[in-house]
Each structure stands twice: as structure tokens, then as C-alpha cells.
Amino acid sequence: MASTTTTTPAKTDKPRMSQMALQEQRWGRLFVAAPFVGFCLFSAFPIVFAFVASLSNWTGTNSVFANFCGLNNYIELFTDARFWKTVGTTIIYMTGIPIGMILGLLIATAMNRRIPGVKILRTMYYVPVISSLVAVAILWAWVFNYDFGLLNLIIKALTGAKGPNWLGDEAWIKVAMIIFMVWKGLGTSVILYLSGLQNIPRDYYEAATIDGATGWQAFKNITIPLVSPVTFYLLITGIIGGFQVFVEVSVMTTNGGINYSAATVVYYLWDKAFKHQQMGYGAAMAFILAIIIFIVTAINFKGQDKWVKTID
């Protein structure tokens, strides 16, 4: 019987890096270190600390670890009627997202034409976006004023009747906030939709006209599907921003409005954490809010393949 012998491959030495390659690697690590350290200091550490704080009765002045309470803040949060009320109000405000997108698409379609002064109109629509949010919120608070507001003066001049108490009624204050938020974000929708419309080849519309399609049919079957990536972007950013509404409520209302009717989740978080020094409770609320935003965003990304179209 012939014997078999096994041979192991000879080990090959790892090629040594040249001095220039080593120097380049050191510089690369040095450049990477700066943003990494910044991320650890200003993102990772605050997130970890906030989570630890959410498990304690931290007030901002006492010790986090000496006041550990486990999941009590989260349990209390799920039974907090005011928290769920602010969640409902926040969701109501986000009904302005589709309103703003529809108006933005219609205005962008109208502006996607060669008409005199179109550049000035585009600038005018975008001015609210770059304006100070606090400044325009104060301005709109005066517009919605019950006795002297411009809106009620217009309503009285047209109908003879006095307008509603926009900021003093539990129902109308939500309408007023939605109107303001739609107005504030309309410029972004218009500019992005206009960019999307200008990327659609004219050949599509010419082919549709030859086939006898009406203007509405071309708009429904060409324009809307091909600007769906813009719609998806506006939807995602609108939802994320909608869950973080704070300045509008803080400036335009007093203590969150009548019976807390205008308060959002972030306003309630600020109220608990900074006005009542319940930092741990506010941190728990922030993590619940982050989870809600993550779930809603993930659902939208999961379903985007069914309705978001791209130009081939």
C-alpha cells in the first residue's frame, strides 16, 4: 500500500508597506479621527446618557445613578393621558403634509411654464422657508388675533360676520396651526416639485398628446408618477419634522393653548423636562418619540417600491 504524504503550503510573508504608504495610512486615520471623536462626544455619548437618564428620576441637578427608577418613567408615560393627547394633536397637525404637497405640486406645475415674472414668483414662495421661524410665528399670531387680526378683518369685510377665535378655541387653534405650517413649508414643496417636473422629458407629453390623452390624463399618468420620488422625500421629511413641532406652539400659544389643545409631543417634553425639572421623564418621552418616528419611517421605506417610480 502506497503511503500518502500531505504537504502544507509554505507561509508567505505579508508584504511590508512602503514608508509612503504607512505615512498615508497615518494621515488617513488622523483625518478619520476628528469626525469620529466628534460623533462620540456630541452624538453617541448624549444618546447613551439620555437613555440612562430615562431610567432615573433625574432633575438636571441631582445624580442620575443615585435616583435610578428602572422602567417606571416608561410605565408612567404609557398611562399619561396628556402625553397621548399631545400625540393625537401632533398627528392632526400632520394632516397638513398632504395638503402642502398637493398645493406645492399644483403651484409648481403652474410655474413650470414660460410666463412673465416667474422667477420673482419662485423667490416669493421660497422666502417663508428662509425666514426666521420665530419672527413669522409672531407675525401669524397677529394675523390670527381675534379682535385686530388681518384674517378676521378680511372675513368681516367679506361676510359681515366676525371670524372665529383662531387661537382661543380648542378646535380652531388646530386649524390655525395647520394653516401656518402649510404656508411655512410650501416654498420647499414648490421648489422640489419644480425641479422634479423639469427633469421629466418632454417626449412623454408629446407622445401622450399624439395618442389623444387629455391634460388631466397626462398629469395623472405621467406627472404624478414621475415626481413620486419628490413626493416620497417630502413625505418622509414632513413626518419627521411634524413629530418635532415645537417653536410654532411655543410662540403662538400660551402654555400650550386652551386645555393644552395646541401642545405637541415635543412641547410636552420641553414642559416636563425644563419647566418641571423632570429630565428623566422627558428623556423617556424622547426615546418613545424616536421609536415612533423610526417605525413610521421604516414603514414608508418598506412600501415605497409599490408607488415610487423613476424615469428610465
Side-chain angles (χ1 to χ4, degrees):
M1 182 176 179
S3 60
T4 58
T5 58
T6 58
T7 59
T8 58
K11 293 183 179 179
T12 57
D13 295 333
K14 186 177 179 180
R16 297 183 61 182
M17 298 179 66
S18 65
Q19 189 66 27
M20 182 177 295
L22 286 172
Q23 186 176 5
E24 184 178 349
Q25 190 179 70
R26 293 192 195 101
W27 277 107
R29 289 173 180 173
L30 183 63
F31 280 112
V32 171
F36 177 75
V37 171
F39 170 79
C40 291
L41 289 177
F42 301 108
S43 295
F45 174 73
I47 290 173
V48 173
F49 181 82
F51 179 71
V52 174
S54 72
L55 303 176
S56 71
N57 292 319
W58 184 47
T59 63
T61 56
N62 60 358
S63 173
V64 174
F65 301 100
N67 294 274
F68 189 78
C69 66
L71 297 176
N72 288 350
N73 285 331
Y74 292 93
I75 296 171
E76 182 181 350
L77 191 62
F78 279 101
T79 58
D80 188 345
R82 178 163 281 192
F83 169 73
W84 292 110
K85 181 178 182 178
T86 57
V87 170
T89 301
T90 304
I91 293 173
I92 291 173
Y93 287 161
M94 286 194 288
T95 58
I97 296 173
I99 297 173
M101 289 193 297
I102 293 171
L103 290 175
L105 179 56
L106 294 176
I107 296 172
T109 303
M111 286 188 179
N112 193 29
R113 303 171 184 272
R114 294 182 179 179
I115 55 177
V118 67
K119 293 183 179 180
I120 298 176
L121 287 174
R122 294 173 186 173
T123 304
M124 289 174 60
Y125 273 101
Y126 199 72
V127 165
V129 178
I130 60 175
S131 300
S132 167
L133 181 55
V134 174
V136 294
I138 294 173
L139 175 65
W140 274 88
W142 278 103
V143 171
F144 287 125
N145 185 276
Y146 179 63
D147 296 311
F148 311 107
L150 177 63
L151 190 55
N152 276 358
L153 291 177
I154 294 174
I155 293 174
K156 187 174 182 180
L158 294 176
T159 64
K162 200 165 188 178
N165 190 357
W166 295 97
L167 301 180
D169 183 87
E170 290 189 33
W172 283 107
I173 195 170
K174 293 180 176 63
V175 177
M177 298 299 292
I178 291 172
I179 292 173
F180 170 64
M181 293 176 194
V182 170
W183 174 85
K184 184 70 172 67
L186 191 59
T188 300
S189 300
V190 171
I191 293 298
L192 291 178
Y193 272 128
L194 189 60
S195 176
L197 289 171
Q198 292 178 349
N199 285 328
I200 300 176
R202 301 305 304 173
D203 298 346
Y204 291 6
Y205 295 102
E206 293 172 1
T209 302
I210 294 172
D211 290 339
T214 63
W216 165 247
Q217 289 174 331
F219 181 77
K220 183 180 70 172
N221 297 303
I222 298 176
T223 303
I224 294 178
L226 293 183
V227 297
S228 57
V230 177
T231 303
F232 177 72
Y233 173 80
L234 290 172
L235 179 64
I236 293 296
T237 55
I239 290 174
I240 295 174
F243 274 113
Q244 300 177 17
V245 170
F246 168 73
V247 176
E248 298 89 330
V249 179
S250 179
V251 173
M252 297 178 66
T253 68
T254 303
N255 297 324
I258 304 297
N259 296 326
Y260 228 58
S261 57
T264 59
V265 179
V266 175
Y267 183 88
Y268 186 44
L269 189 159
W270 168 81
D271 193 5
K272 280 288 188 181
F274 295 96
K275 290 185 68 175
H276 295 89
Q277 283 76 50
Q278 297 181 19
M279 291 286 186
Y281 193 75
M285 199 182 308
F287 271 92
I288 295 297
L289 179 61
I291 292 171
I292 293 174
I293 293 175
F294 175 79
I295 292 173
V296 174
T297 304
I299 291 172
N300 278 283
F301 270 98
K302 186 69 176 179
Q304 67 171 319
D305 293 336
K306 297 180 180 179
W307 62 277
V308 177
K309 310 297 180 182
T310 57
I311 301 175
D312 296 329

mmCIF file of all heavy atoms in Angstrom, residues 228-273:
data_model
loop_
_atom_site.group_PDB
_atom_site.id
_atom_site.type_symbol
_atom_site.label_atom_id
_atom_site.label_comp_id
_atom_site.label_asym_id
_atom_site.label_seq_id
_atom_site.Cartn_x
_atom_site.Cartn_y
_atom_site.Cartn_z
ATOM 1 N N SER A 228 -43.004 61.148 -8.123
ATOM 2 C CA SER A 228 -43.211 60.395 -6.877
ATOM 3 C C SER A 228 -41.957 60.331 -6.005
ATOM 4 O O SER A 228 -42.085 60.288 -4.770
ATOM 5 C CB SER A 228 -43.735 58.987 -7.183
ATOM 6 O OG SER A 228 -42.857 58.288 -8.037
ATOM 7 N N PRO A 229 -40.714 60.316 -6.555
ATOM 8 C CA PRO A 229 -39.548 60.384 -5.657
ATOM 9 C C PRO A 229 -39.525 61.662 -4.820
ATOM 10 O O PRO A 229 -39.152 61.633 -3.649
ATOM 11 C CB PRO A 229 -38.357 60.325 -6.626
ATOM 12 C CG PRO A 229 -38.875 59.591 -7.814
ATOM 13 C CD PRO A 229 -40.297 60.044 -7.956
ATOM 14 N N VAL A 230 -39.934 62.783 -5.428
ATOM 15 C CA VAL A 230 -40.026 64.034 -4.676
ATOM 16 C C VAL A 230 -41.113 63.927 -3.619
ATOM 17 O O VAL A 230 -40.937 64.361 -2.466
ATOM 18 C CB VAL A 230 -40.302 65.223 -5.619
ATOM 19 C CG1 VAL A 230 -40.475 66.515 -4.827
ATOM 20 C CG2 VAL A 230 -39.190 65.364 -6.632
ATOM 21 N N THR A 231 -42.254 63.343 -3.991
ATOM 22 C CA THR A 231 -43.349 63.150 -3.036
ATOM 23 C C THR A 231 -42.897 62.299 -1.855
ATOM 24 O O THR A 231 -43.214 62.602 -0.698
ATOM 25 C CB THR A 231 -44.549 62.479 -3.734
ATOM 26 O OG1 THR A 231 -44.965 63.281 -4.845
ATOM 27 C CG2 THR A 231 -45.714 62.309 -2.770
ATOM 28 N N PHE A 232 -42.151 61.241 -2.149
ATOM 29 C CA PHE A 232 -41.659 60.364 -1.084
ATOM 30 C C PHE A 232 -40.714 61.127 -0.152
ATOM 31 O O PHE A 232 -40.811 61.003 1.079
ATOM 32 C CB PHE A 232 -40.940 59.164 -1.695
ATOM 33 C CG PHE A 232 -40.339 58.234 -0.689
ATOM 34 C CD1 PHE A 232 -41.149 57.417 0.086
ATOM 35 C CD2 PHE A 232 -38.963 58.179 -0.507
ATOM 36 C CE1 PHE A 232 -40.593 56.553 1.028
ATOM 37 C CE2 PHE A 232 -38.412 57.316 0.431
ATOM 38 C CZ PHE A 232 -39.223 56.505 1.194
ATOM 39 N N TYR A 233 -39.821 61.915 -0.725
ATOM 40 C CA TYR A 233 -38.887 62.702 0.094
ATOM 41 C C TYR A 233 -39.646 63.693 0.984
ATOM 42 O O TYR A 233 -39.356 63.816 2.184
ATOM 43 C CB TYR A 233 -37.899 63.437 -0.804
ATOM 44 C CG TYR A 233 -37.013 64.402 -0.067
ATOM 45 C CD1 TYR A 233 -35.903 63.948 0.632
ATOM 46 C CD2 TYR A 233 -37.292 65.768 -0.052
ATOM 47 C CE1 TYR A 233 -35.083 64.830 1.327
ATOM 48 C CE2 TYR A 233 -36.484 66.653 0.633
ATOM 49 C CZ TYR A 233 -35.388 66.187 1.317
ATOM 50 O OH TYR A 233 -34.581 67.064 2.012
ATOM 51 N N LEU A 234 -40.597 64.401 0.406
ATOM 52 C CA LEU A 234 -41.373 65.365 1.176
ATOM 53 C C LEU A 234 -42.195 64.682 2.263
ATOM 54 O O LEU A 234 -42.375 65.227 3.360
ATOM 55 C CB LEU A 234 -42.294 66.158 0.244
ATOM 56 C CG LEU A 234 -41.605 67.147 -0.697
ATOM 57 C CD1 LEU A 234 -42.611 67.720 -1.689
ATOM 58 C CD2 LEU A 234 -40.947 68.271 0.084
ATOM 59 N N LEU A 235 -42.699 63.490 1.968
ATOM 60 C CA LEU A 235 -43.484 62.749 2.955
ATOM 61 C C LEU A 235 -42.617 62.350 4.141
ATOM 62 O O LEU A 235 -43.008 62.551 5.302
ATOM 63 C CB LEU A 235 -44.096 61.513 2.300
ATOM 64 C CG LEU A 235 -44.944 60.603 3.207
ATOM 65 C CD1 LEU A 235 -46.169 61.356 3.702
ATOM 66 C CD2 LEU A 235 -45.352 59.340 2.469
ATOM 67 N N ILE A 236 -41.437 61.799 3.865
ATOM 68 C CA ILE A 236 -40.554 61.359 4.945
ATOM 69 C C ILE A 236 -40.095 62.536 5.800
ATOM 70 O O ILE A 236 -40.185 62.517 7.033
ATOM 71 C CB ILE A 236 -39.339 60.602 4.372
ATOM 72 C CG1 ILE A 236 -39.781 59.277 3.744
ATOM 73 C CG2 ILE A 236 -38.294 60.345 5.462
ATOM 74 C CD1 ILE A 236 -40.373 58.297 4.715
ATOM 75 N N THR A 237 -39.573 63.574 5.144
ATOM 76 C CA THR A 237 -39.089 64.737 5.896
ATOM 77 C C THR A 237 -40.231 65.451 6.602
ATOM 78 O O THR A 237 -40.052 65.994 7.697
ATOM 79 C CB THR A 237 -38.352 65.707 4.976
ATOM 80 O OG1 THR A 237 -39.215 66.083 3.875
ATOM 81 C CG2 THR A 237 -37.090 65.074 4.423
ATOM 82 N N GLY A 238 -41.427 65.455 5.984
ATOM 83 C CA GLY A 238 -42.579 66.094 6.612
ATOM 84 C C GLY A 238 -43.006 65.372 7.871
ATOM 85 O O GLY A 238 -43.335 66.000 8.890
ATOM 86 N N ILE A 239 -43.006 64.041 7.840
ATOM 87 C CA ILE A 239 -43.391 63.262 9.015
ATOM 88 C C ILE A 239 -42.373 63.446 10.144
ATOM 89 O O ILE A 239 -42.748 63.671 11.306
ATOM 90 C CB ILE A 239 -43.532 61.772 8.648
ATOM 91 C CG1 ILE A 239 -44.753 61.564 7.754
ATOM 92 C CG2 ILE A 239 -43.646 60.910 9.903
ATOM 93 C CD1 ILE A 239 -44.901 60.157 7.226
ATOM 94 N N ILE A 240 -41.087 63.362 9.795
ATOM 95 C CA ILE A 240 -40.055 63.541 10.816
ATOM 96 C C ILE A 240 -40.131 64.935 11.431
ATOM 97 O O ILE A 240 -40.080 65.110 12.646
ATOM 98 C CB ILE A 240 -38.662 63.286 10.214
ATOM 99 C CG1 ILE A 240 -38.530 61.821 9.791
ATOM 100 C CG2 ILE A 240 -37.561 63.644 11.208
ATOM 101 C CD1 ILE A 240 -37.254 61.499 9.049
ATOM 102 N N GLY A 241 -40.282 65.954 10.564
ATOM 103 C CA GLY A 241 -40.409 67.325 11.070
ATOM 104 C C GLY A 241 -41.707 67.549 11.816
ATOM 105 O O GLY A 241 -41.757 68.310 12.795
ATOM 106 N N GLY A 242 -42.784 66.874 11.370
ATOM 107 C CA GLY A 242 -44.078 67.028 12.025
ATOM 108 C C GLY A 242 -44.077 66.527 13.451
ATOM 109 O O GLY A 242 -44.736 67.108 14.328
ATOM 110 N N PHE A 243 -43.335 65.453 13.718
ATOM 111 C CA PHE A 243 -43.245 64.932 15.077
ATOM 112 C C PHE A 243 -42.395 65.821 15.971
ATOM 113 O O PHE A 243 -42.381 65.625 17.193
ATOM 114 C CB PHE A 243 -42.665 63.518 15.066
ATOM 115 C CG PHE A 243 -43.689 62.434 14.852
ATOM 116 C CD1 PHE A 243 -43.678 61.670 13.697
ATOM 117 C CD2 PHE A 243 -44.661 62.192 15.806
ATOM 118 C CE1 PHE A 243 -44.621 60.669 13.495
ATOM 119 C CE2 PHE A 243 -45.612 61.194 15.615
ATOM 120 C CZ PHE A 243 -45.595 60.431 14.466
ATOM 121 N N GLN A 244 -41.661 66.780 15.383
ATOM 122 C CA GLN A 244 -40.760 67.624 16.161
ATOM 123 C C GLN A 244 -41.229 69.075 16.248
ATOM 124 O O GLN A 244 -40.450 69.962 16.591
ATOM 125 C CB GLN A 244 -39.359 67.569 15.535
ATOM 126 C CG GLN A 244 -38.775 66.167 15.511
ATOM 127 C CD GLN A 244 -37.426 66.104 14.819
ATOM 128 O OE1 GLN A 244 -36.773 67.121 14.621
ATOM 129 N NE2 GLN A 244 -37.005 64.908 14.433
ATOM 130 N N VAL A 245 -42.481 69.329 15.952
ATOM 131 C CA VAL A 245 -43.005 70.700 16.006
ATOM 132 C C VAL A 245 -42.945 71.223 17.440
ATOM 133 O O VAL A 245 -43.423 70.581 18.371
ATOM 134 C CB VAL A 245 -44.452 70.737 15.490
ATOM 135 C CG1 VAL A 245 -45.079 72.100 15.768
ATOM 136 C CG2 VAL A 245 -44.488 70.433 13.999
ATOM 137 N N PHE A 246 -42.337 72.389 17.599
ATOM 138 C CA PHE A 246 -42.229 72.989 18.933
ATOM 139 C C PHE A 246 -42.341 74.510 18.910
ATOM 140 O O PHE A 246 -43.135 75.091 19.644
ATOM 141 C CB PHE A 246 -40.896 72.586 19.581
ATOM 142 C CG PHE A 246 -40.579 73.373 20.825
ATOM 143 C CD1 PHE A 246 -41.262 73.136 22.005
ATOM 144 C CD2 PHE A 246 -39.610 74.369 20.807
ATOM 145 C CE1 PHE A 246 -40.989 73.859 23.155
ATOM 146 C CE2 PHE A 246 -39.321 75.104 21.953
ATOM 147 C CZ PHE A 246 -40.014 74.841 23.131
ATOM 148 N N VAL A 247 -41.529 75.145 18.057
ATOM 149 C CA VAL A 247 -41.442 76.607 18.070
ATOM 150 C C VAL A 247 -42.792 77.234 17.801
ATOM 151 O O VAL A 247 -43.182 78.220 18.459
ATOM 152 C CB VAL A 247 -40.399 77.091 17.041
ATOM 153 C CG1 VAL A 247 -40.379 78.614 16.967
ATOM 154 C CG2 VAL A 247 -39.020 76.564 17.399
ATOM 155 N N GLU A 248 -43.541 76.707 16.831
ATOM 156 C CA GLU A 248 -44.836 77.274 16.468
ATOM 157 C C GLU A 248 -45.779 77.327 17.669
ATOM 158 O O GLU A 248 -46.426 78.335 17.931
ATOM 159 C CB GLU A 248 -45.478 76.471 15.338
ATOM 160 C CG GLU A 248 -44.683 76.460 14.041
ATOM 161 C CD GLU A 248 -43.686 75.323 13.965
ATOM 162 O OE1 GLU A 248 -43.187 74.907 15.025
ATOM 163 O OE2 GLU A 248 -43.405 74.847 12.845
ATOM 164 N N VAL A 249 -45.823 76.230 18.406
ATOM 165 C CA VAL A 249 -46.705 76.160 19.576
ATOM 166 C C VAL A 249 -46.199 77.063 20.681
ATOM 167 O O VAL A 249 -46.976 77.769 21.335
ATOM 168 C CB VAL A 249 -46.808 74.703 20.072
ATOM 169 C CG1 VAL A 249 -47.701 74.609 21.305
ATOM 170 C CG2 VAL A 249 -47.334 73.801 18.968
ATOM 171 N N SER A 250 -44.887 77.071 20.891
ATOM 172 C CA SER A 250 -44.308 77.867 21.971
ATOM 173 C C SER A 250 -44.522 79.360 21.764
ATOM 174 O O SER A 250 -44.789 80.098 22.716
ATOM 175 C CB SER A 250 -42.811 77.560 22.079
ATOM 176 O OG SER A 250 -42.211 78.321 23.100
ATOM 177 N N VAL A 251 -44.430 79.826 20.509
ATOM 178 C CA VAL A 251 -44.526 81.258 20.225
ATOM 179 C C VAL A 251 -45.978 81.714 20.085
ATOM 180 O O VAL A 251 -46.361 82.766 20.609
ATOM 181 C CB VAL A 251 -43.738 81.596 18.941
ATOM 182 C CG1 VAL A 251 -43.958 83.045 18.530
ATOM 183 C CG2 VAL A 251 -42.256 81.321 19.145
ATOM 184 N N MET A 252 -46.801 80.922 19.411
ATOM 185 C CA MET A 252 -48.152 81.363 19.068
ATOM 186 C C MET A 252 -49.192 81.087 20.134
ATOM 187 O O MET A 252 -50.316 81.583 20.042
ATOM 188 C CB MET A 252 -48.585 80.707 17.752
ATOM 189 C CG MET A 252 -47.720 81.100 16.563
ATOM 190 S SD MET A 252 -48.198 80.288 15.026
ATOM 191 C CE MET A 252 -49.828 81.003 14.745
ATOM 192 N N THR A 253 -48.858 80.291 21.147
ATOM 193 C CA THR A 253 -49.830 79.968 22.186
ATOM 194 C C THR A 253 -49.249 80.252 23.562
ATOM 195 O O THR A 253 -48.038 80.426 23.726
ATOM 196 C CB THR A 253 -50.255 78.489 22.119
ATOM 197 O OG1 THR A 253 -49.140 77.659 22.492
ATOM 198 C CG2 THR A 253 -50.719 78.109 20.729
ATOM 199 N N THR A 254 -50.108 80.266 24.540
ATOM 200 C CA THR A 254 -49.696 80.423 25.938
ATOM 201 C C THR A 254 -49.945 79.112 26.666
ATOM 202 O O THR A 254 -51.083 78.627 26.721
ATOM 203 C CB THR A 254 -50.496 81.555 26.620
ATOM 204 O OG1 THR A 254 -50.311 82.768 25.881
ATOM 205 C CG2 THR A 254 -50.041 81.748 28.053
ATOM 206 N N ASN A 255 -48.865 78.521 27.184
ATOM 207 C CA ASN A 255 -48.960 77.256 27.925
ATOM 208 C C ASN A 255 -49.642 76.151 27.123
ATOM 209 O O ASN A 255 -50.449 75.383 27.650
ATOM 210 C CB ASN A 255 -49.696 77.465 29.251
ATOM 211 C CG ASN A 255 -48.957 78.414 30.178
ATOM 212 O OD1 ASN A 255 -47.725 78.419 30.224
ATOM 213 N ND2 ASN A 255 -49.702 79.240 30.909
ATOM 214 N N GLY A 256 -49.352 76.090 25.831
ATOM 215 C CA GLY A 256 -49.884 75.019 25.015
ATOM 216 C C GLY A 256 -51.315 75.198 24.568
ATOM 217 O O GLY A 256 -51.928 74.253 24.046
ATOM 218 N N GLY A 257 -51.856 76.388 24.702
ATOM 219 C CA GLY A 257 -53.225 76.642 24.269
ATOM 220 C C GLY A 257 -54.262 76.290 25.322
ATOM 221 O O GLY A 257 -53.947 75.774 26.395
ATOM 222 N N ILE A 258 -55.521 76.591 25.014
ATOM 223 C CA ILE A 258 -56.626 76.296 25.922
ATOM 224 C C ILE A 258 -56.687 74.789 26.187
ATOM 225 O O ILE A 258 -56.778 73.990 25.264
ATOM 226 C CB ILE A 258 -57.970 76.789 25.341
ATOM 227 C CG1 ILE A 258 -57.890 78.281 25.021
ATOM 228 C CG2 ILE A 258 -59.109 76.499 26.304
ATOM 229 C CD1 ILE A 258 -57.655 79.167 26.211
ATOM 230 N N ASN A 259 -56.644 74.418 27.476
ATOM 231 C CA ASN A 259 -56.696 72.999 27.877
ATOM 232 C C ASN A 259 -55.646 72.156 27.164
ATOM 233 O O ASN A 259 -55.882 70.985 26.852
ATOM 234 C CB ASN A 259 -58.095 72.418 27.616
ATOM 235 C CG ASN A 259 -59.159 73.080 28.470
ATOM 236 O OD1 ASN A 259 -58.902 73.459 29.610
ATOM 237 N ND2 ASN A 259 -60.349 73.220 27.920
ATOM 238 N N TYR A 260 -54.508 72.777 26.908
ATOM 239 C CA TYR A 260 -53.383 72.082 26.267
ATOM 240 C C TYR A 260 -53.759 71.569 24.876
ATOM 241 O O TYR A 260 -53.220 70.574 24.397
ATOM 242 C CB TYR A 260 -52.932 70.913 27.148
ATOM 243 C CG TYR A 260 -51.429 70.872 27.366
ATOM 244 C CD1 TYR A 260 -50.757 71.955 27.943
ATOM 245 C CD2 TYR A 260 -50.682 69.767 27.022
ATOM 246 C CE1 TYR A 260 -49.397 71.917 28.165
ATOM 247 C CE2 TYR A 260 -49.311 69.715 27.229
ATOM 248 C CZ TYR A 260 -48.679 70.803 27.803
ATOM 249 O OH TYR A 260 -47.326 70.777 28.022
ATOM 250 N N SER A 261 -54.681 72.264 24.228
ATOM 251 C CA SER A 261 -55.232 71.789 22.952
ATOM 252 C C SER A 261 -54.273 71.939 21.780
ATOM 253 O O SER A 261 -54.457 71.298 20.746
ATOM 254 C CB SER A 261 -56.529 72.533 22.648
ATOM 255 O OG SER A 261 -56.304 73.936 22.616
ATOM 256 N N ALA A 262 -53.252 72.795 21.901
ATOM 257 C CA ALA A 262 -52.322 73.022 20.791
ATOM 258 C C ALA A 262 -50.972 72.370 21.020
ATOM 259 O O ALA A 262 -50.130 72.378 20.127
ATOM 260 C CB ALA A 262 -52.125 74.515 20.563
ATOM 261 N N ALA A 263 -50.759 71.783 22.198
ATOM 262 C CA ALA A 263 -49.442 71.250 22.549
ATOM 263 C C ALA A 263 -49.103 70.007 21.740
ATOM 264 O O ALA A 263 -49.956 69.155 21.496
ATOM 265 C CB ALA A 263 -49.386 70.924 24.038
ATOM 266 N N THR A 264 -47.853 69.916 21.323
ATOM 267 C CA THR A 264 -47.351 68.745 20.613
ATOM 268 C C THR A 264 -46.506 67.893 21.563
ATOM 269 O O THR A 264 -46.282 68.272 22.717
ATOM 270 C CB THR A 264 -46.488 69.172 19.415
ATOM 271 O OG1 THR A 264 -45.381 69.966 19.913
ATOM 272 C CG2 THR A 264 -47.293 69.986 18.424
ATOM 273 N N VAL A 265 -46.026 66.761 21.067
ATOM 274 C CA VAL A 265 -45.223 65.872 21.903
ATOM 275 C C VAL A 265 -43.946 66.565 22.369
ATOM 276 O O VAL A 265 -43.575 66.493 23.549
ATOM 277 C CB VAL A 265 -44.868 64.581 21.131
ATOM 278 C CG1 VAL A 265 -44.002 63.673 21.995
ATOM 279 C CG2 VAL A 265 -46.120 63.847 20.708
ATOM 280 N N VAL A 266 -43.274 67.256 21.462
ATOM 281 C CA VAL A 266 -42.012 67.915 21.820
ATOM 282 C C VAL A 266 -42.271 69.073 22.785
ATOM 283 O O VAL A 266 -41.464 69.323 23.687
ATOM 284 C CB VAL A 266 -41.281 68.399 20.556
ATOM 285 C CG1 VAL A 266 -40.032 69.183 20.910
ATOM 286 C CG2 VAL A 266 -40.909 67.215 19.671
ATOM 287 N N TYR A 267 -43.387 69.760 22.613
ATOM 288 C CA TYR A 267 -43.715 70.833 23.568
ATOM 289 C C TYR A 267 -43.942 70.249 24.959
ATOM 290 O O TYR A 267 -43.487 70.807 25.965
ATOM 291 C CB TYR A 267 -44.959 71.583 23.104
ATOM 292 C CG TYR A 267 -45.324 72.744 24.006
ATOM 293 C CD1 TYR A 267 -44.774 74.008 23.796
ATOM 294 C CD2 TYR A 267 -46.194 72.582 25.077
ATOM 295 C CE1 TYR A 267 -45.081 75.075 24.639
ATOM 296 C CE2 TYR A 267 -46.509 73.635 25.919
ATOM 297 C CZ TYR A 267 -45.955 74.884 25.691
ATOM 298 O OH TYR A 267 -46.256 75.935 26.532
ATOM 299 N N TYR A 268 -44.647 69.133 25.036
ATOM 300 C CA TYR A 268 -44.887 68.478 26.326
ATOM 301 C C TYR A 268 -43.580 67.984 26.915
ATOM 302 O O TYR A 268 -43.375 68.055 28.131
ATOM 303 C CB TYR A 268 -45.864 67.324 26.138
ATOM 304 C CG TYR A 268 -46.306 66.654 27.418
ATOM 305 C CD1 TYR A 268 -46.659 67.399 28.531
ATOM 306 C CD2 TYR A 268 -46.364 65.261 27.514
ATOM 307 C CE1 TYR A 268 -47.056 66.787 29.708
ATOM 308 C CE2 TYR A 268 -46.762 64.646 28.680
ATOM 309 C CZ TYR A 268 -47.109 65.412 29.776
ATOM 310 O OH TYR A 268 -47.506 64.792 30.949
ATOM 311 N N LEU A 269 -42.681 67.465 26.061
ATOM 312 C CA LEU A 269 -41.359 67.033 26.517
ATOM 313 C C LEU A 269 -40.610 68.202 27.142
ATOM 314 O O LEU A 269 -40.043 68.079 28.237
ATOM 315 C CB LEU A 269 -40.588 66.466 25.331
ATOM 316 C CG LEU A 269 -39.255 65.744 25.547
ATOM 317 C CD1 LEU A 269 -38.954 64.859 24.355
ATOM 318 C CD2 LEU A 269 -38.090 66.724 25.755
ATOM 319 N N TRP A 270 -40.610 69.335 26.448
ATOM 320 C CA TRP A 270 -39.938 70.529 26.976
ATOM 321 C C TRP A 270 -40.592 70.985 28.278
ATOM 322 O O TRP A 270 -39.908 71.361 29.240
ATOM 323 C CB TRP A 270 -39.999 71.641 25.931
ATOM 324 C CG TRP A 270 -39.599 72.984 26.446
ATOM 325 C CD1 TRP A 270 -38.335 73.475 26.610
ATOM 326 C CD2 TRP A 270 -40.489 74.027 26.895
ATOM 327 N NE1 TRP A 270 -38.374 74.751 27.112
ATOM 328 C CE2 TRP A 270 -39.686 75.117 27.290
ATOM 329 C CE3 TRP A 270 -41.874 74.147 26.967
ATOM 330 C CZ2 TRP A 270 -40.230 76.290 27.781
ATOM 331 C CZ3 TRP A 270 -42.425 75.314 27.457
ATOM 332 C CH2 TRP A 270 -41.605 76.378 27.853
ATOM 333 N N ASP A 271 -41.911 70.939 28.326
ATOM 334 C CA ASP A 271 -42.649 71.360 29.511
ATOM 335 C C ASP A 271 -42.248 70.527 30.733
ATOM 336 O O ASP A 271 -41.993 71.055 31.816
ATOM 337 C CB ASP A 271 -44.153 71.225 29.247
ATOM 338 C CG ASP A 271 -44.989 71.938 30.296
ATOM 339 O OD1 ASP A 271 -44.406 72.608 31.164
ATOM 340 O OD2 ASP A 271 -46.229 71.816 30.258
ATOM 341 N N LYS A 272 -42.205 69.216 30.547
ATOM 342 C CA LYS A 272 -41.857 68.321 31.649
ATOM 343 C C LYS A 272 -40.387 68.451 32.042
ATOM 344 O O LYS A 272 -40.047 68.527 33.230
ATOM 345 C CB LYS A 272 -42.155 66.872 31.245
ATOM 346 C CG LYS A 272 -43.611 66.477 31.371
ATOM 347 C CD LYS A 272 -44.017 66.343 32.825
ATOM 348 C CE LYS A 272 -45.398 65.758 32.981
ATOM 349 N NZ LYS A 272 -45.795 65.646 34.407
ATOM 350 N N ALA A 273 -39.514 68.474 31.035
ATOM 351 C CA ALA A 273 -38.081 68.427 31.316
ATOM 352 C C ALA A 273 -37.533 69.743 31.848
ATOM 353 O O ALA A 273 -36.764 69.751 32.822
ATOM 354 C CB ALA A 273 -37.321 68.011 30.055
#
